[in-house]
Amino acid sequence: MLDTRLHSAASAAPVPPAAGSADIAETVLEQARERARAEAQPYAGGISPADAWILVTEGRAVLVDVRTAEERKFVGHIPETLHVAWMTGTAMNRNPRFVKELEAKVRKDTLVLFLCRSGKRSAAAAEAAAKAGFTNAFNILEGFEGDLDERQRRGGVGGWRFHDLPWVQD
């Protein structure tokens, strides 16, 4: 069973309680869009991992993992998500077919949440998607593993797994 409790990540302002989950989702999205406008981001905005999970479990958004196939296999991935690699292989070469592969899997008016390891590649993927006409392209802040800590390790400072959201490993 998947955990659908309301979470609030430190990287985004907490969402105040509202009349219903639809109101909460709209508040989250509007806050993200406002931050994106204020920061002149080239995509719709950034969403915390916890808020992203709520949007996905409510069926309001599609999560697209842009990490490499190797990262998904050996580090873990979120069940029932789409995969369109932003970069490929261990050499991390930019996937020249990224937009075409995305277009084959997702309609351009869909609310799309992009996820990578730390939130940097997914921001680039969201930007490319927005430039290609995806009107609701959001970056999942913190990524799957979060930022490096003081010992140069991931997993202890933010990220999908840090917030104890659902994931599996092959």
Side-chain angles (χ1 to χ4, degrees):
M1 175 122 167
L2 300 177
D3 180 6
T4 58
R5 292 173 290 158
L6 178 62
H7 298 275
S8 173
S11 63
V15 177
S21 62
D23 295 334
I24 293 170
E26 287 306 316
T27 300
V28 165
L29 293 171
E30 189 50 42
Q31 288 175 347
R33 286 184 178 105
E34 286 175 17
R35 282 191 307 271
R37 283 190 292 272
E39 297 170 10
Q41 292 176 340
Y43 48 88
I47 302 284
S48 75
D51 289 335
W53 182 239
I54 291 168
L55 292 167
V56 169
T57 57
E58 289 183 351
R60 298 187 54 135
V62 171
L63 195 150
V64 176
D65 190 334
V66 301
R67 295 174 301 148
T68 66
E70 294 84 359
E71 286 175 290
R72 287 174 51 90
K73 176 154 183 67
F74 297 114
V75 179
H77 63 275
I78 301 157
E80 301 177 29
T81 58
L82 298 177
H83 178 234
V84 181
W86 175 249
M87 297 180 152
T88 60
T90 56
M92 301 293 277
N93 295 314
R94 168 80 166 76
N95 177 3
R97 298 175 310 281
F98 174 78
V99 170
K100 290 291 181 199
E101 291 175 19
L102 183 63
E103 289 172 336
K105 294 182 178 186
V106 181
R107 289 183 17 201
K108 288 189 174 185
D109 62 348
T110 301
L111 180 61
V112 185
L113 309 174
F114 293 96
L115 175 81
C116 70
R117 180 182 59 195
S118 65
K120 292 171 182 60
R121 282 178 284 163
S122 52
E127 179 177 352
K131 286 180 180 175
F134 285 83
T135 56
N136 292 298
F138 289 85
N139 177 33
I140 298 177
L141 304 169
E142 303 174 19
F144 189 73
E145 296 181 76
D147 288 330
L148 293 169
D149 65 16
E150 67 279 350
R151 298 184 315 183
Q152 301 302 299
R153 296 179 183 170
R154 293 192 191 277
V157 181
W160 191 273
R161 293 188 327 179
F162 176 82
H163 293 289
D164 200 28
L165 295 165
W167 65 282
V168 295
Q169 190 163 11
D170 293 340

